[in-house]
Amino acid sequence: MSGAHDIGNPPRKRKLIEVALPLEAISKASKADKDRKVGTIKNIHKWFAPMPAPAWRALLFAATIDDPGDTDRRAELLTIIEGLVPDKGTAPSQEALKRARAALAEQGSELPTVLDPFCGGGSTLVEAQRLGFPTVASDLNPVPALVTRVETQLVPSVLGKPAVTGPGDGFEGIADDPMVGFLADVEHYARLVEQRVREQVGHLYEPVEGGEVVAWLWARTVPCANPACGIPLPLYSSPWLSKQKGREAWLRPVVSGPNVRFEIGTGTSDEIPDATKRAGRGKFTCPACATDVDEKYLRKTGAAGQLGLQMLAVAVDDSSGRRFVPAPDTTDAAGIDTPDEIPELDFFADNTKQFSPPLYGLKRQADIYTPRQLHVLGAFCDAVAEVPQWVERDGGDESQATAIASVLAICVSKLALANSSQTRWKIDQRNGSSYVQPGFGRQAIQMLWDFAEVNPFNNTGGSWLSQITAVASGIKALPRDQRPGITRQVDARKAGALVPAGTALIATDPPYFAQIPYADLSDYFYVWLRRAAAEMHPDLFGTMATPKTDELVANRYRQGDEERARQYFIDGFVEVFSSLKEASRSDLPMVVIYAHRQEESKDGEMSSSAWDALLEAMITAGIGVVGTWPLHATNSTRQIGQGANALASYIVMICRPRDATAVSIDRRGFISALREQLPSALRDLQQSSIPAVDLAQAAIGPGMAVFSRYAKVTEPDGSVMRVRDALALINDELARVLSEQEGDFDTDTRWCVRWFEQYQWEQGPFGEAELLANALNTSLHGLEDSGAVKARAGKAVMLRPEELPSSFNPVEHHRVSVWEVAMHLSRVLEGKGVDPAGMLLARVRARIDDEAIKELAYLLYNICERKGWSDSARRFNNLVSSWPDLQTAARAAERQGAVPTQDSLAFDSAGDGDEEDLLF
């Protein structure tokens, strides 16, 4: 809960966000929000990399409320923030909101308008309205603009109105919940829409006797490459349909004349046939003649228009549960004609990394749908487009007609998410059950060879009614007493003009440089939203596709090369921040969120085009970073894993216009200022238990706070230092500070760090190990005795954590080092979980400073990151990331008197001890 790293003390009243935040509470709530599947605004519509709602709630309050300068009052304000961020990620209680609003009102000044020029999924504005702020939102992209308009403008406009067609004149339940009438209308007209669509295209979906179809499972086919065979080769990646215990089901291919048909095998067996997919990209084997096809053949065949479709099986639910039946011998599903009106929009074919279907001849948006999916989505769009007339015919007013139909248009867009060939049939790794996984598991449109076609007319995942239920759960998460905001489709370069000059609190999460092609991905939704909602929102859907020319991302495919794309990004954001600076209220900071890892360049240095581009734009626009906060908010199911360019944390930058009286400084002075300011800032970051993987990124904030407080920093040749070079110096200082922390460790630990940096877990010369021990005033014999090292046959090797003895007793062990305790903690955490590791931490506190353990983990992660040792890096990052939970578990063990005894610490290394013992 340490202060943000505010460099310098300008003569102004600071806001709480510049002094203190309850980081642990905010991060815990943000993680929980990411993990929640229902009851959040994320259920309203898909958006890419959304910022957690609890974080915005806390940040907006803290950016507006004055820091009292009094420790007791500050503690009260921090308690209010904790009340705003319940640890399960839910909305705050009415009492918590009342306290927050009262604190804001006590300041006496009018609340600012919260302005977000990159509104995305709308969480900034929704949480601003929850706190009572007026809001203005904008986005160049019509998809997030519509979603945010529904959340913050249309839904608030109908709160408290009776249902158009509800019983008792529609007033039933409104006294308890002003949203009841609106939700009743959404459900009513959703069922009318489904009825209309069933009448038009329901005949295309053949029923199965004795049950209701959940999904039809398909594989694309290519002609076998063997001319003597030539059968349609089904391209599928797994034989498994379900691994649920007692309901196991799998595919058995049977060659039958010129085709392959599939039978359904059940139960477990050692002879389950392989899928046609082989290891490696684009490699399949013909089940008839065993001829292999490769990526080159698939692309050639696809470009020639020779891809086909074959049904593999049908997933059916009946009274006994889920079962699978073979594809019917005769079906019209594969032979349905494509409708006349389809999305003719082409994919962005230049970016094959994130849009691979064009490589195989699927060049249009329409090509990733089956013909009947095109029929049904078009029918839903056309029916929803009529809803405003239906509502007004039934006596509803214009605001109700627009709000109801707009929500249903969003439901059609979500229906497309689960009704294309981007939909996978997934096996739950926990219990083996199977389910439909909608598209965009990653931020890409990929070529999938096998997929699930959902039944849109039942009530399981992916159907029309399931979309209504999901979107309604998201709408229920909206506040109930907000006044309608304003949402516009506007280029962010001009967004500052949406509010009177000097009136806004700027809070935004801008695009992540080149990581996400937002506009190209959004076309997937846009083609359906435009068909359903163009007449309701002509300002959003006047073009054939989402605007791309002016999109502020560093898209090298559009700008020509990476350097031009980078400069386009910088130039655009100079305009953005210049505009926002004019709109910003002078007493308020800007809150800018960024999440991007630095990359290692070819010469081994850490750099980031994303960070230096954004920061260069800020500084050029006359804005400086005065403070930073790291928020840990990654959910437990994040697909991007260790080693990928992804953060576990968001970096919150607190920004203000640079002081007009700022002076210049030379390189030597800048380095001196870094060395004075950065160490304490880094310790604050470490005390917040920021994941080790994110420490270098979080250090950018306080480092750039030093850099940006000067009018310029000059190099020895008189040139102005580039942001990129400043970032390199910040990284150098980070490495120096971490290395200097070695001085806080005992001599055994210092030896282990040096040896680890040289050899990791590999063997090294005994003589070299002994010389290092003598130099550090320890002994190799003592290190062996401690259990950290083995030395034999002229070699020395460090024991991996999993190789350490499980009978470790930190209380009675005569020689305990920070290294040894850290390795044992990591072993128990990885093998047994947080609670046993927390008990071990409780045992060692009497002998070892637990902050030193965490500092060691940071240092070791930094070493592993530089060396490219990803497995060890993951281990040490996990130890740091789990630190708050370990401390909580340790305190609980101490309170309950559950700190284990010597007997419970020991166990048989063969694993035959009592499973109820706490195995350390």
Side-chain angles (χ1 to χ4, degrees):
M1 198 184 289
S2 54
H5 315 298
D6 188 2
I7 310 301
N9 295 289
R12 55 172 170 75
K13 191 156 189 175
R14 296 198 295 178
K15 298 299 180 181
L16 183 62
I17 199 170
E18 298 172 271
V19 180
L21 281 178
L23 285 183
E24 187 173 337
I26 299 171
S27 295
K28 188 173 184 178
S30 297
K31 289 180 182 179
D33 175 78
K34 285 275 190 176
D35 278 334
R36 292 181 68 204
K37 304 301 182 186
V38 296
T40 79
I41 65 167
K42 298 193 301 289
N43 297 126
I44 295 176
H45 197 276
K46 169 72 179 179
W47 191 243
F48 309 101
M51 179 73 176
W56 273 127
R57 202 179 304 136
L59 295 173
L60 293 169
F61 176 85
T64 311
I65 203 82
D66 291 336
D67 176 65
D70 173 79
T71 302
D72 291 339
R73 176 56 180 159
R74 183 182 299 140
E76 290 178 19
L77 294 175
L78 295 176
T79 300
I80 290 175
I81 295 178
E82 290 175 351
L84 290 174
V85 290
D87 58 12
K88 293 185 178 180
T90 56
S93 67
Q94 287 303 308
E95 180 59 30
L97 282 172
K98 184 178 178 181
R99 289 185 66 198
R101 289 182 173 187
L104 291 169
E106 285 175 11
Q107 295 198 154
S109 59
E110 184 178 350
L111 287 179
T113 296
V114 172
L115 171 62
D116 185 351
F118 300 100
C119 63
S123 59
T124 314
L125 295 312
V126 168
E127 296 311 317
Q129 289 187 341
R130 198 183 304 278
L131 290 169
F133 291 91
T135 64
V136 173
S138 69
D139 207 298
L140 180 65
N141 192 317
V143 176
L146 176 65
V147 173
T148 304
R149 180 176 288 179
V150 166
E151 295 166 343
T152 65
Q153 184 174 330
L154 300 183
V155 171
S157 72
V158 298
L159 291 176
K161 291 186 177 182
V164 175
T165 60
D169 294 326
F171 283 99
E172 186 174 312
I174 288 177
D176 297 322
D177 184 351
M179 198 176 281
V180 165
F182 174 66
L183 291 174
D185 283 335
V186 168
E187 182 176 355
H188 172 78
Y189 289 102
R191 292 189 179 277
L192 292 182
V193 166
E194 184 187 42
Q195 181 180 333
R196 169 70 66 86
V197 175
R198 274 185 183 271
E199 292 170 355
Q200 293 180 343
V201 299
H203 63 281
L204 300 178
Y205 291 85
E206 302 167 348
V208 170
E209 186 176 350
E212 186 173 46
V213 175
V214 174
W216 293 265
L217 309 182
W218 295 89
R220 296 194 183 275
T221 65
V222 294
C224 177
N226 178 3
C229 177
I231 70 165
L233 164 55
L235 309 173
Y236 67 105
S237 56
S238 172
W240 284 101
L241 303 172
S242 171
K243 292 185 178 180
Q244 189 173 11
K245 189 173 182 180
R247 292 183 175 273
E248 296 89 351
W250 36 273
L251 294 169
R252 180 190 291 118
V254 177
V255 179
S256 178
N259 295 293
V260 178
R261 62 181 177 84
F262 288 89
E263 297 176 348
I264 307 299
T266 58
T268 57
S269 170
D270 293 332
E271 299 181 357
I272 296 174
D274 291 333
T276 56
K277 180 77 170 68
R278 295 292 176 262
R281 180 178 176 181
K283 294 182 178 180
F284 294 85
T285 299
C286 178
C289 68
T291 297
D292 292 334
V293 300
D294 58 14
E295 180 79 7
K296 183 178 179 180
Y297 178 79
L298 293 176
R299 292 187 182 187
K300 177 183 176 182
T301 305
Q306 294 180 294
L307 292 182
L309 283 175
Q310 178 175 354
M311 192 182 300
L312 302 176
V314 185
V316 179
D317 280 353
D318 58 24
S319 58
S320 65
R322 181 154 300 168
R323 59 187 174 92
F324 297 86
V325 299
D329 294 332
T330 59
T331 177
D332 295 330
I336 296 171
D337 291 334
T338 301
D340 293 334
E341 189 175 356
I342 60 173
E344 295 285 0
L345 198 61
D346 287 345
F347 285 116
F348 186 37
D350 290 343
N351 181 0
T352 56
K353 179 180 179 181
Q354 289 168 297
F355 298 90
S356 56
L359 293 171
Y360 308 92
L362 307 182
K363 298 180 178 181
R364 304 172 302 171
Q365 291 280 342
D367 294 335
I368 62 171
Y369 299 89
T370 68
R372 67 178 172 186
Q373 286 175 329
L374 291 171
H375 277 284
V376 79
L377 287 170
F380 272 110
C381 286
D382 295 342
V384 167
E386 295 184 45
V387 167
Q389 301 171 30
W390 300 352
V391 175
E392 292 182 8
R393 177 198 63 200
D394 293 336
D397 62 29
E398 183 179 355
S399 65
Q400 289 173 304
T402 302
I404 294 165
S406 297
V407 168
L408 295 180
I410 281 176
C411 290
V412 178
S413 184
K414 286 197 66 177
L415 187 67
L417 194 64
N419 282 266
S420 76
S421 62
Q422 293 292 291
T423 304
R424 301 172 184 266
W425 189 250
K426 294 289 289 183
I427 306 292
D428 192 315
Q429 297 302 313
R430 297 165 298 180
N431 58 27
S433 63
S434 49
Y435 62 98
V436 171
Q437 183 185 57
F440 291 113
R442 296 179 59 194
Q443 292 150 0
I445 294 178
Q446 303 166 285
M447 186 64 188
L448 298 186
W449 299 108
D450 51 343
F451 61 92
E453 182 182 23
V454 169
N455 180 358
F457 297 116
N458 66 11
N459 200 22
T460 57
S463 68
W464 172 248
L465 290 181
S466 74
Q467 306 307 333
I468 303 302
T469 300
V471 172
S473 78
I475 291 173
K476 290 176 184 177
L478 298 174
R480 298 297 197 273
D481 56 352
Q482 74 273 39
R483 48 182 161 170
I486 297 171
T487 303
R488 298 283 185 265
Q489 184 198 5
V490 173
D491 188 326
R493 298 170 181 87
K494 303 173 183 177
L498 292 173
V499 298
T503 63
L505 168 59
I506 308 300
T508 192
D509 181 13
Y512 296 156
F513 196 61
Q515 307 321 114
I516 304 174
Y518 300 91
D520 293 296
L521 292 173
S522 295
D523 279 339
Y524 182 101
F525 304 110
Y526 184 86
V527 294
W528 304 113
L529 287 170
R530 183 173 186 270
R531 184 165 171 179
E535 290 190 15
M536 288 181 281
H537 302 279
D539 60 322
L540 301 183
F541 299 107
T543 56
M544 293 299 296
T546 58
K548 299 177 179 65
T549 302
D550 295 327
E551 184 183 28
L552 272 176
V553 294
N555 191 324
R556 63 184 177 90
Y557 303 103
R558 287 204 162 84
Q559 303 305 325
D561 57 44
E562 290 185 3
E563 185 53 38
R564 288 180 183 175
R566 176 181 178 276
Q567 194 59 49
Y568 170 80
F569 183 90
I570 293 171
D571 292 344
F573 270 94
V574 170
E575 292 185 60
V576 170
F577 287 120
S578 296
S579 174
L580 296 179
K581 186 170 68 171
E582 292 298 315
S584 180
R585 207 170 83 180
S586 60
D587 64 317
L588 299 173
M590 295 183 189
V591 182
V592 181
I593 312 297
Y594 218 51
H596 188 283
R597 288 195 69 193
Q598 297 185 83
E599 303 97 5
E600 186 173 346
S601 61
K602 292 181 180 179
D603 57 7
E605 293 184 354
M606 296 301 292
S607 65
S608 173
S609 295
W611 271 108
D612 69 53
L614 186 74
L615 292 166
E616 184 174 330
M618 281 184 170
I619 291 169
T620 303
I623 292 173
V625 179
V626 299
T628 60
W629 295 103
L631 295 179
H632 327 319
T634 299
N635 66 348
S636 60
T637 58
R638 185 176 60 152
Q639 287 199 7
I640 302 175
Q642 175 72 24
N645 189 20
L647 285 181
S649 298
Y650 294 90
I651 308 304
V652 181
M653 292 185 286
I654 317 304
C655 308
R656 287 186 180 271
R658 189 167 56 244
D659 194 329
T661 62
V663 299
S664 299
I665 197 171
D666 61 14
R667 180 187 181 95
R668 185 187 297 272
F670 172 56
I671 294 174
S672 176
L674 271 182
R675 291 187 172 176
E676 179 183 350
Q677 303 284 350
L678 201 56
S680 62
L682 291 176
R683 286 195 180 273
D684 287 344
L685 289 170
Q686 289 176 324
Q687 287 173 6
S688 76
S689 296
I690 183 173
V693 68
D694 293 344
L695 183 61
Q697 324 308 314
I700 289 173
M704 288 307 300
V706 176
F707 182 78
S708 63
R709 82 181 185 194
Y710 298 108
K712 63 181 178 180
V713 177
T714 57
E715 299 282 14
D717 63 0
S719 63
V720 177
M721 180 181 288
R722 301 179 306 169
V723 170
R724 183 173 295 180
D725 295 327
L727 289 174
L729 291 174
I730 293 167
N731 280 321
D732 290 344
E733 184 62 17
L734 170 64
R736 187 186 69 82
V737 172
L738 290 175
S739 295
E740 285 185 352
Q741 288 178 354
E742 281 188 52
D744 298 335
F745 303 144
D746 55 83
T747 54
D748 283 4
T749 298
R750 291 165 62 195
W751 183 95
C752 291
V753 169
R754 301 283 181 85
W755 188 262
F756 179 83
E757 187 169 15
Q758 185 69 25
Y759 294 106
Q760 198 189 15
W761 313 114
E762 302 300 322
Q763 291 184 347
F766 179 90
E768 187 176 328
E770 195 165 44
L771 283 173
L772 179 60
N774 292 336
L776 293 173
N777 198 28
T778 186
S779 71
L780 197 56
H781 175 74
L783 287 161
E784 282 191 275
D785 190 41
S786 74
V789 180
K790 281 186 178 180
R792 63 184 61 173
K795 299 288 183 180
V797 63
M798 191 96 68
L799 291 179
R800 298 172 182 267
E802 60 268 24
E803 296 171 336
L804 293 172
S806 54
S807 56
F808 175 63
N809 180 5
V811 174
E812 298 184 1
H813 200 53
H814 69 282
R815 183 173 181 141
V816 177
S817 67
V818 173
W819 177 277
E820 188 178 13
V821 171
M823 296 306 110
H824 277 289
L825 270 176
S826 177
R827 175 180 61 81
V828 177
L829 178 64
E830 298 282 334
K832 295 296 178 182
V834 168
D835 288 340
M839 289 186 178
L840 176 57
L841 180 60
R843 294 278 288 176
V844 304
R845 280 176 163 171
R847 302 188 64 182
I848 295 291
D849 178 10
D850 53 5
E851 284 300 311
I853 301 170
K854 187 168 65 171
E855 286 182 5
L856 175 61
Y858 276 116
L859 174 61
L860 294 176
Y861 175 84
N862 186 261
I863 291 171
C864 294
E865 179 82 350
R866 285 191 286 106
K867 298 282 190 177
W869 298 336
S870 59
D871 286 345
S872 295
R874 181 206 57 77
R875 176 184 288 276
F876 297 126
N877 182 60
N878 190 35
L879 182 56
V880 172
S881 302
S882 303
W883 200 255
D885 294 331
L886 290 175
Q887 289 182 312
T888 299
R891 289 192 294 267
E894 290 167 345
R895 285 196 305 268
Q896 298 169 9
V899 176
T901 63
Q902 166 67 15
D903 291 339
S904 65
L905 285 170
F907 84 109
D908 185 348
S909 61
D912 55 358
D914 186 348
E915 291 183 356
E916 293 184 0
D917 284 345
L918 296 170
L919 309 181
F920 282 179

